[in-house]
Amino acid sequence: MTLTQADKAAVVTIWAKVATQADAIGTESLERLFFSYPQTKTYFPHFDLSQGSAQLRGHGSKVMSAIGEAVKNIDDIRRALAKLSELHAYILRVDPVNFKLLSHCILCSVAARYPNDFSPEVHAAWDKFLSSVSSVLTEKYR
Amino acid sequence: MVLSANDKSNVKAAFGKIGGQADEYGAETLERMFATYPQTKTYFPHFDLSKGSAQIKGHGKKVAAALVEAANNIDDIAGALSKLSDLHAQKLRVDPVNFKLLGQCFLVVVATRNPSLLTPEVHASLDKFLCAVGSVLTAKYR
């Protein structure tokens, strides 16, 4: 699945807004993830997962930073996230199914905060973009 | 996910061994899929899905031929299956999850008919190959 020019433009446009609240959105997405899909907590036995915890906020920030990198390098996400891809393949080994879940939660957070911007076209573009990011991060698993 | 040189040679060797029986493999794959995952029958309301039906045999042949084509052009599966990819995107619109189910059943058929062929390494290579084929066939959906 490739991102069309229109997809890329839509992602870049809404990212400009998302970036202003990136940390909050990142934290919220993780909270949503752990709440709706408790099995995802399995990857964070070492975290304090209570609402607003410093670790959650820190991690949410990291996640959104990576997404920001991918947006900035939307023509070559693979190269931009190469190190993260290796990290996930060799060390973290997060089951691929969980990327869909996190992507979904990020979508919900963005949609909730920017309802007027989140048209069906923008929704589709974001979903394709997050799918691309997920693919890159699971690409080196085997 | 990228097919390594090893994967490619494993896949080619496997299809070499399957050889002229590919048609039967295809038909049995479909039978198993309809039996184990009855929801997949939804795409074939116009078929006689009883065991040994001519339509299943015919369709199994088509599926097998596509897999053989992909294996023979393993360096450019996207190119080889481009028309099939268009067909699935624009007309068939099979939900992507079903490609995994079909792939799984194909592997089971290989395992039962050719147990010595399916070492863990060959199993992994074939599974990667089938995932790659599935990806190509759903690449143009959106």
mmCIF file of all heavy atoms in Angstrom, chain B residues 74-116:
data_model
loop_
_atom_site.group_PDB
_atom_site.id
_atom_site.type_symbol
_atom_site.label_atom_id
_atom_site.label_comp_id
_atom_site.label_asym_id
_atom_site.label_seq_id
_atom_site.Cartn_x
_atom_site.Cartn_y
_atom_site.Cartn_z
ATOM 1 N N ILE B 74 10.005 -14.455 -8.262
ATOM 2 C CA ILE B 74 10.066 -14.115 -6.836
ATOM 3 C C ILE B 74 10.813 -12.812 -6.574
ATOM 4 O O ILE B 74 10.691 -12.242 -5.493
ATOM 5 C CB ILE B 74 10.645 -15.291 -6.027
ATOM 6 C CG1 ILE B 74 10.181 -15.228 -4.578
ATOM 7 C CG2 ILE B 74 12.167 -15.332 -6.135
ATOM 8 C CD1 ILE B 74 10.396 -16.510 -3.821
ATOM 9 N N ASP B 75 11.571 -12.351 -7.568
ATOM 10 C CA ASP B 75 12.262 -11.077 -7.377
ATOM 11 C C ASP B 75 11.349 -9.890 -7.673
ATOM 12 O O ASP B 75 11.700 -8.754 -7.368
ATOM 13 C CB ASP B 75 13.513 -11.003 -8.261
ATOM 14 C CG ASP B 75 14.601 -11.939 -7.758
ATOM 15 O OD1 ASP B 75 14.824 -11.986 -6.534
ATOM 16 O OD2 ASP B 75 15.226 -12.627 -8.586
ATOM 17 N N ASP B 76 10.208 -10.177 -8.274
ATOM 18 C CA ASP B 76 9.293 -9.074 -8.564
ATOM 19 C C ASP B 76 7.859 -9.591 -8.536
ATOM 20 O O ASP B 76 7.168 -9.663 -9.559
ATOM 21 C CB ASP B 76 9.607 -8.449 -9.932
ATOM 22 C CG ASP B 76 8.737 -7.230 -10.202
ATOM 23 O OD1 ASP B 76 8.112 -6.713 -9.244
ATOM 24 O OD2 ASP B 76 8.671 -6.788 -11.363
ATOM 25 N N ILE B 77 7.440 -9.959 -7.330
ATOM 26 C CA ILE B 77 6.094 -10.527 -7.180
ATOM 27 C C ILE B 77 5.048 -9.480 -7.554
ATOM 28 O O ILE B 77 4.045 -9.779 -8.199
ATOM 29 C CB ILE B 77 5.884 -11.041 -5.733
ATOM 30 C CG1 ILE B 77 6.882 -12.149 -5.403
ATOM 31 C CG2 ILE B 77 4.460 -11.545 -5.561
ATOM 32 C CD1 ILE B 77 6.777 -12.683 -3.983
ATOM 33 N N ALA B 78 5.347 -8.232 -7.188
ATOM 34 C CA ALA B 78 4.386 -7.164 -7.488
ATOM 35 C C ALA B 78 4.159 -7.039 -8.987
ATOM 36 O O ALA B 78 3.028 -6.859 -9.449
ATOM 37 C CB ALA B 78 4.867 -5.840 -6.903
ATOM 38 N N GLY B 79 5.246 -7.132 -9.742
ATOM 39 C CA GLY B 79 5.129 -7.060 -11.192
ATOM 40 C C GLY B 79 4.366 -8.241 -11.752
ATOM 41 O O GLY B 79 3.444 -8.102 -12.566
ATOM 42 N N ALA B 80 4.719 -9.431 -11.264
ATOM 43 C CA ALA B 80 4.108 -10.654 -11.788
ATOM 44 C C ALA B 80 2.610 -10.712 -11.506
ATOM 45 O O ALA B 80 1.828 -11.204 -12.323
ATOM 46 C CB ALA B 80 4.798 -11.873 -11.179
ATOM 47 N N LEU B 81 2.197 -10.203 -10.338
ATOM 48 C CA LEU B 81 0.792 -10.330 -9.959
ATOM 49 C C LEU B 81 0.030 -9.013 -10.082
ATOM 50 O O LEU B 81 -1.022 -8.841 -9.478
ATOM 51 C CB LEU B 81 0.673 -10.858 -8.513
ATOM 52 C CG LEU B 81 1.297 -12.224 -8.231
ATOM 53 C CD1 LEU B 81 0.975 -12.672 -6.809
ATOM 54 C CD2 LEU B 81 0.793 -13.274 -9.212
ATOM 55 N N SER B 82 0.575 -8.115 -10.878
ATOM 56 C CA SER B 82 -0.015 -6.779 -10.971
ATOM 57 C C SER B 82 -1.487 -6.822 -11.381
ATOM 58 O O SER B 82 -2.334 -6.157 -10.775
ATOM 59 C CB SER B 82 0.810 -5.944 -11.957
ATOM 60 O OG SER B 82 0.156 -4.754 -12.199
ATOM 61 N N LYS B 83 -1.805 -7.630 -12.400
ATOM 62 C CA LYS B 83 -3.197 -7.680 -12.845
ATOM 63 C C LYS B 83 -4.105 -8.283 -11.766
ATOM 64 O O LYS B 83 -5.222 -7.825 -11.532
ATOM 65 C CB LYS B 83 -3.334 -8.512 -14.132
ATOM 66 C CG LYS B 83 -2.814 -7.829 -15.356
ATOM 67 C CD LYS B 83 -3.688 -8.061 -16.596
ATOM 68 C CE LYS B 83 -3.606 -6.926 -17.608
ATOM 69 N NZ LYS B 83 -2.241 -6.442 -17.867
ATOM 70 N N LEU B 84 -3.602 -9.328 -11.119
ATOM 71 C CA LEU B 84 -4.382 -9.965 -10.059
ATOM 72 C C LEU B 84 -4.611 -8.974 -8.920
ATOM 73 O O LEU B 84 -5.656 -8.968 -8.270
ATOM 74 C CB LEU B 84 -3.632 -11.182 -9.509
ATOM 75 C CG LEU B 84 -4.165 -12.565 -9.848
ATOM 76 C CD1 LEU B 84 -3.482 -13.611 -8.986
ATOM 77 C CD2 LEU B 84 -5.661 -12.668 -9.664
ATOM 78 N N SER B 85 -3.587 -8.142 -8.693
ATOM 79 C CA SER B 85 -3.688 -7.141 -7.648
ATOM 80 C C SER B 85 -4.804 -6.153 -7.977
ATOM 81 O O SER B 85 -5.637 -5.810 -7.136
ATOM 82 C CB SER B 85 -2.345 -6.424 -7.506
ATOM 83 O OG SER B 85 -2.400 -5.476 -6.490
ATOM 84 N N ASP B 86 -4.837 -5.718 -9.249
ATOM 85 C CA ASP B 86 -5.920 -4.820 -9.677
ATOM 86 C C ASP B 86 -7.274 -5.487 -9.479
ATOM 87 O O ASP B 86 -8.222 -4.880 -8.971
ATOM 88 C CB ASP B 86 -5.768 -4.475 -11.174
ATOM 89 C CG ASP B 86 -4.588 -3.556 -11.432
ATOM 90 O OD1 ASP B 86 -4.177 -2.845 -10.484
ATOM 91 O OD2 ASP B 86 -4.064 -3.552 -12.567
ATOM 92 N N LEU B 87 -7.352 -6.750 -9.882
ATOM 93 C CA LEU B 87 -8.618 -7.481 -9.787
ATOM 94 C C LEU B 87 -9.113 -7.512 -8.342
ATOM 95 O O LEU B 87 -10.286 -7.270 -8.067
ATOM 96 C CB LEU B 87 -8.427 -8.917 -10.300
ATOM 97 C CG LEU B 87 -9.665 -9.814 -10.278
ATOM 98 C CD1 LEU B 87 -10.671 -9.385 -11.327
ATOM 99 C CD2 LEU B 87 -9.292 -11.278 -10.491
ATOM 100 N N HIS B 88 -8.211 -7.822 -7.427
ATOM 101 C CA HIS B 88 -8.631 -7.915 -6.034
ATOM 102 C C HIS B 88 -9.001 -6.560 -5.472
ATOM 103 O O HIS B 88 -9.910 -6.459 -4.648
ATOM 104 C CB HIS B 88 -7.520 -8.542 -5.180
ATOM 105 C CG HIS B 88 -7.454 -10.033 -5.326
ATOM 106 N ND1 HIS B 88 -6.874 -10.649 -6.402
ATOM 107 C CD2 HIS B 88 -7.936 -11.026 -4.544
ATOM 108 C CE1 HIS B 88 -6.981 -11.961 -6.279
ATOM 109 N NE2 HIS B 88 -7.629 -12.224 -5.162
ATOM 110 N N ALA B 89 -8.336 -5.513 -5.934
ATOM 111 C CA ALA B 89 -8.620 -4.180 -5.416
ATOM 112 C C ALA B 89 -9.949 -3.646 -5.929
ATOM 113 O O ALA B 89 -10.745 -3.098 -5.174
ATOM 114 C CB ALA B 89 -7.506 -3.223 -5.807
ATOM 115 N N GLN B 90 -10.141 -3.811 -7.231
ATOM 116 C CA GLN B 90 -11.294 -3.149 -7.841
ATOM 117 C C GLN B 90 -12.548 -3.986 -7.897
ATOM 118 O O GLN B 90 -13.655 -3.468 -7.854
ATOM 119 C CB GLN B 90 -10.927 -2.682 -9.248
ATOM 120 C CG GLN B 90 -9.938 -1.512 -9.198
ATOM 121 C CD GLN B 90 -8.998 -1.509 -10.374
ATOM 122 O OE1 GLN B 90 -9.312 -2.088 -11.411
ATOM 123 N NE2 GLN B 90 -7.845 -0.886 -10.231
ATOM 124 N N LYS B 91 -12.402 -5.319 -7.992
ATOM 125 C CA LYS B 91 -13.597 -6.131 -8.134
ATOM 126 C C LYS B 91 -13.832 -7.042 -6.923
ATOM 127 O O LYS B 91 -14.872 -7.005 -6.288
ATOM 128 C CB LYS B 91 -13.510 -7.007 -9.386
ATOM 129 C CG LYS B 91 -13.438 -6.243 -10.672
ATOM 130 C CD LYS B 91 -14.525 -6.711 -11.663
ATOM 131 C CE LYS B 91 -14.732 -5.708 -12.788
ATOM 132 N NZ LYS B 91 -13.544 -5.490 -13.637
ATOM 133 N N LEU B 92 -12.848 -7.881 -6.620
ATOM 134 C CA LEU B 92 -13.090 -8.937 -5.644
ATOM 135 C C LEU B 92 -13.201 -8.412 -4.217
ATOM 136 O O LEU B 92 -14.084 -8.796 -3.462
ATOM 137 C CB LEU B 92 -11.981 -9.995 -5.729
ATOM 138 C CG LEU B 92 -11.822 -10.636 -7.106
ATOM 139 C CD1 LEU B 92 -10.662 -11.617 -7.105
ATOM 140 C CD2 LEU B 92 -13.104 -11.324 -7.526
ATOM 141 N N ARG B 93 -12.242 -7.522 -3.870
ATOM 142 C CA ARG B 93 -12.258 -6.892 -2.542
ATOM 143 C C ARG B 93 -12.372 -7.902 -1.411
ATOM 144 O O ARG B 93 -13.158 -7.715 -0.472
ATOM 145 C CB ARG B 93 -13.393 -5.875 -2.448
ATOM 146 C CG ARG B 93 -13.176 -4.736 -3.432
ATOM 147 C CD ARG B 93 -14.210 -3.670 -3.300
ATOM 148 N NE ARG B 93 -13.995 -2.643 -4.302
ATOM 149 C CZ ARG B 93 -14.940 -1.862 -4.782
ATOM 150 N NH1 ARG B 93 -16.173 -1.972 -4.350
ATOM 151 N NH2 ARG B 93 -14.650 -0.962 -5.688
ATOM 152 N N VAL B 94 -11.606 -8.950 -1.504
ATOM 153 C CA VAL B 94 -11.542 -9.938 -0.424
ATOM 154 C C VAL B 94 -10.893 -9.279 0.785
ATOM 155 O O VAL B 94 -9.828 -8.682 0.657
ATOM 156 C CB VAL B 94 -10.684 -11.149 -0.866
ATOM 157 C CG1 VAL B 94 -10.459 -12.095 0.281
ATOM 158 C CG2 VAL B 94 -11.352 -11.848 -2.036
ATOM 159 N N ASP B 95 -11.526 -9.373 1.936
ATOM 160 C CA ASP B 95 -10.939 -8.782 3.133
ATOM 161 C C ASP B 95 -9.530 -9.343 3.352
ATOM 162 O O ASP B 95 -9.325 -10.545 3.294
ATOM 163 C CB ASP B 95 -11.812 -9.081 4.352
ATOM 164 C CG ASP B 95 -11.354 -8.330 5.591
ATOM 165 O OD1 ASP B 95 -10.172 -8.466 5.985
ATOM 166 O OD2 ASP B 95 -12.155 -7.593 6.160
ATOM 167 N N PRO B 96 -8.575 -8.457 3.581
ATOM 168 C CA PRO B 96 -7.179 -8.894 3.704
ATOM 169 C C PRO B 96 -6.954 -10.025 4.702
ATOM 170 O O PRO B 96 -6.047 -10.834 4.506
ATOM 171 C CB PRO B 96 -6.464 -7.620 4.152
ATOM 172 C CG PRO B 96 -7.251 -6.531 3.516
ATOM 173 C CD PRO B 96 -8.679 -6.985 3.567
ATOM 174 N N VAL B 97 -7.770 -10.107 5.726
ATOM 175 C CA VAL B 97 -7.529 -11.147 6.726
ATOM 176 C C VAL B 97 -7.606 -12.552 6.109
ATOM 177 O O VAL B 97 -6.958 -13.497 6.561
ATOM 178 C CB VAL B 97 -8.508 -10.999 7.917
ATOM 179 C CG1 VAL B 97 -9.915 -11.442 7.531
ATOM 180 C CG2 VAL B 97 -8.035 -11.779 9.110
ATOM 181 N N ASN B 98 -8.388 -12.663 5.029
ATOM 182 C CA ASN B 98 -8.580 -13.996 4.447
ATOM 183 C C ASN B 98 -7.359 -14.535 3.722
ATOM 184 O O ASN B 98 -7.233 -15.752 3.536
ATOM 185 C CB ASN B 98 -9.784 -13.970 3.505
ATOM 186 C CG ASN B 98 -11.074 -13.673 4.255
ATOM 187 O OD1 ASN B 98 -11.502 -14.464 5.086
ATOM 188 N ND2 ASN B 98 -11.677 -12.527 3.994
ATOM 189 N N PHE B 99 -6.470 -13.630 3.308
ATOM 190 C CA PHE B 99 -5.269 -14.113 2.644
ATOM 191 C C PHE B 99 -4.412 -14.912 3.599
ATOM 192 O O PHE B 99 -3.786 -15.903 3.218
ATOM 193 C CB PHE B 99 -4.468 -12.936 2.063
ATOM 194 C CG PHE B 99 -5.162 -12.286 0.909
ATOM 195 C CD1 PHE B 99 -6.008 -11.219 1.118
ATOM 196 C CD2 PHE B 99 -5.010 -12.769 -0.386
ATOM 197 C CE1 PHE B 99 -6.680 -10.630 0.066
ATOM 198 C CE2 PHE B 99 -5.676 -12.189 -1.444
ATOM 199 C CZ PHE B 99 -6.516 -11.115 -1.216
ATOM 200 N N LYS B 100 -4.431 -14.487 4.883
ATOM 201 C CA LYS B 100 -3.671 -15.243 5.877
ATOM 202 C C LYS B 100 -4.268 -16.640 6.026
ATOM 203 O O LYS B 100 -3.549 -17.621 6.180
ATOM 204 C CB LYS B 100 -3.725 -14.555 7.234
ATOM 205 C CG LYS B 100 -2.949 -13.264 7.312
ATOM 206 C CD LYS B 100 -2.609 -12.892 8.755
ATOM 207 C CE LYS B 100 -2.669 -11.406 8.994
ATOM 208 N NZ LYS B 100 -1.576 -10.660 8.405
ATOM 209 N N LEU B 101 -5.603 -16.697 6.008
ATOM 210 C CA LEU B 101 -6.263 -17.989 6.200
ATOM 211 C C LEU B 101 -5.947 -18.928 5.032
ATOM 212 O O LEU B 101 -5.648 -20.104 5.229
ATOM 213 C CB LEU B 101 -7.787 -17.795 6.326
ATOM 214 C CG LEU B 101 -8.236 -16.859 7.455
ATOM 215 C CD1 LEU B 101 -9.761 -16.765 7.500
ATOM 216 C CD2 LEU B 101 -7.710 -17.323 8.804
ATOM 217 N N LEU B 102 -5.999 -18.383 3.825
ATOM 218 C CA LEU B 102 -5.693 -19.207 2.657
ATOM 219 C C LEU B 102 -4.242 -19.683 2.722
ATOM 220 O O LEU B 102 -3.962 -20.861 2.484
ATOM 221 C CB LEU B 102 -5.937 -18.406 1.371
ATOM 222 C CG LEU B 102 -5.655 -19.173 0.083
ATOM 223 C CD1 LEU B 102 -6.682 -20.268 -0.147
ATOM 224 C CD2 LEU B 102 -5.636 -18.247 -1.119
ATOM 225 N N GLY B 103 -3.351 -18.761 3.066
ATOM 226 C CA GLY B 103 -1.939 -19.111 3.171
ATOM 227 C C GLY B 103 -1.719 -20.220 4.188
ATOM 228 O O GLY B 103 -0.964 -21.166 3.961
ATOM 229 N N GLN B 104 -2.386 -20.074 5.321
ATOM 230 C CA GLN B 104 -2.283 -21.076 6.382
ATOM 231 C C GLN B 104 -2.696 -22.449 5.863
ATOM 232 O O GLN B 104 -2.036 -23.456 6.087
ATOM 233 C CB GLN B 104 -3.179 -20.636 7.544
ATOM 234 C CG GLN B 104 -3.320 -21.618 8.665
ATOM 235 C CD GLN B 104 -2.053 -21.826 9.441
ATOM 236 O OE1 GLN B 104 -1.021 -21.247 9.140
ATOM 237 N NE2 GLN B 104 -2.109 -22.680 10.427
ATOM 238 N N CYS B 105 -3.817 -22.491 5.154
ATOM 239 C CA CYS B 105 -4.311 -23.771 4.647
ATOM 240 C C CYS B 105 -3.352 -24.356 3.620
ATOM 241 O O CYS B 105 -3.128 -25.568 3.578
ATOM 242 C CB CYS B 105 -5.706 -23.603 4.041
ATOM 243 S SG CYS B 105 -6.962 -23.257 5.299
ATOM 244 N N PHE B 106 -2.759 -23.505 2.818
ATOM 245 C CA PHE B 106 -1.794 -23.984 1.832
ATOM 246 C C PHE B 106 -0.621 -24.657 2.534
ATOM 247 O O PHE B 106 -0.170 -25.732 2.142
ATOM 248 C CB PHE B 106 -1.306 -22.826 0.954
ATOM 249 C CG PHE B 106 -0.321 -23.246 -0.098
ATOM 250 C CD1 PHE B 106 -0.763 -23.881 -1.265
ATOM 251 C CD2 PHE B 106 1.042 -23.032 0.066
ATOM 252 C CE1 PHE B 106 0.155 -24.279 -2.241
ATOM 253 C CE2 PHE B 106 1.955 -23.424 -0.907
ATOM 254 C CZ PHE B 106 1.509 -24.054 -2.056
ATOM 255 N N LEU B 107 -0.171 -24.022 3.605
ATOM 256 C CA LEU B 107 0.947 -24.597 4.360
ATOM 257 C C LEU B 107 0.573 -25.956 4.939
ATOM 258 O O LEU B 107 1.377 -26.887 4.944
ATOM 259 C CB LEU B 107 1.362 -23.666 5.496
ATOM 260 C CG LEU B 107 2.275 -22.511 5.120
ATOM 261 C CD1 LEU B 107 2.596 -21.682 6.347
ATOM 262 C CD2 LEU B 107 3.555 -23.013 4.492
ATOM 263 N N VAL B 108 -0.660 -26.051 5.418
ATOM 264 C CA VAL B 108 -1.114 -27.332 5.979
ATOM 265 C C VAL B 108 -1.108 -28.406 4.895
ATOM 266 O O VAL B 108 -0.693 -29.543 5.131
ATOM 267 C CB VAL B 108 -2.525 -27.183 6.601
ATOM 268 C CG1 VAL B 108 -3.110 -28.541 6.934
ATOM 269 C CG2 VAL B 108 -2.460 -26.334 7.862
ATOM 270 N N VAL B 109 -1.541 -28.030 3.691
ATOM 271 C CA VAL B 109 -1.556 -29.002 2.591
ATOM 272 C C VAL B 109 -0.131 -29.459 2.280
ATOM 273 O O VAL B 109 0.132 -30.648 2.103
ATOM 274 C CB VAL B 109 -2.227 -28.400 1.335
ATOM 275 C CG1 VAL B 109 -2.076 -29.329 0.138
ATOM 276 C CG2 VAL B 109 -3.708 -28.152 1.600
ATOM 277 N N VAL B 110 0.788 -28.509 2.248
ATOM 278 C CA VAL B 110 2.186 -28.878 1.996
ATOM 279 C C VAL B 110 2.672 -29.813 3.095
ATOM 280 O O VAL B 110 3.322 -30.827 2.837
ATOM 281 C CB VAL B 110 3.091 -27.623 1.924
ATOM 282 C CG1 VAL B 110 4.557 -28.018 1.828
ATOM 283 C CG2 VAL B 110 2.705 -26.754 0.748
ATOM 284 N N ALA B 111 2.306 -29.483 4.328
ATOM 285 C CA ALA B 111 2.759 -30.286 5.460
ATOM 286 C C ALA B 111 2.227 -31.711 5.387
ATOM 287 O O ALA B 111 2.947 -32.660 5.680
ATOM 288 C CB ALA B 111 2.323 -29.636 6.769
ATOM 289 N N THR B 112 0.963 -31.856 4.987
ATOM 290 C CA THR B 112 0.389 -33.205 4.978
ATOM 291 C C THR B 112 0.848 -34.009 3.769
ATOM 292 O O THR B 112 1.045 -35.214 3.858
ATOM 293 C CB THR B 112 -1.151 -33.170 4.986
ATOM 294 O OG1 THR B 112 -1.593 -32.319 3.920
ATOM 295 C CG2 THR B 112 -1.688 -32.638 6.294
ATOM 296 N N ARG B 113 1.055 -33.346 2.647
ATOM 297 C CA ARG B 113 1.409 -34.100 1.442
ATOM 298 C C ARG B 113 2.910 -34.279 1.280
ATOM 299 O O ARG B 113 3.352 -35.137 0.520
ATOM 300 C CB ARG B 113 0.869 -33.387 0.204
ATOM 301 C CG ARG B 113 -0.630 -33.540 0.050
ATOM 302 C CD ARG B 113 -1.110 -32.776 -1.171
ATOM 303 N NE ARG B 113 -2.525 -32.940 -1.398
ATOM 304 C CZ ARG B 113 -3.047 -33.513 -2.489
ATOM 305 N NH1 ARG B 113 -2.260 -33.975 -3.435
ATOM 306 N NH2 ARG B 113 -4.345 -33.616 -2.610
ATOM 307 N N ASN B 114 3.665 -33.447 1.981
ATOM 308 C CA ASN B 114 5.111 -33.448 1.766
ATOM 309 C C ASN B 114 5.836 -33.137 3.059
ATOM 310 O O ASN B 114 6.589 -32.169 3.129
ATOM 311 C CB ASN B 114 5.427 -32.345 0.735
ATOM 312 C CG ASN B 114 6.399 -32.811 -0.311
ATOM 313 O OD1 ASN B 114 7.369 -33.484 -0.005
ATOM 314 N ND2 ASN B 114 6.138 -32.441 -1.544
ATOM 315 N N PRO B 115 5.607 -33.945 4.089
ATOM 316 C CA PRO B 115 6.090 -33.584 5.431
ATOM 317 C C PRO B 115 7.599 -33.324 5.482
ATOM 318 O O PRO B 115 8.037 -32.393 6.168
ATOM 319 C CB PRO B 115 5.712 -34.791 6.302
ATOM 320 C CG PRO B 115 5.180 -35.834 5.406
ATOM 321 C CD PRO B 115 4.897 -35.233 4.078
ATOM 322 N N SER B 116 8.366 -34.094 4.738
ATOM 323 C CA SER B 116 9.819 -33.911 4.836
ATOM 324 C C SER B 116 10.241 -32.584 4.226
ATOM 325 O O SER B 116 11.305 -32.056 4.542
ATOM 326 C CB SER B 116 10.545 -35.061 4.142
ATOM 327 O OG SER B 116 10.092 -35.139 2.804
#
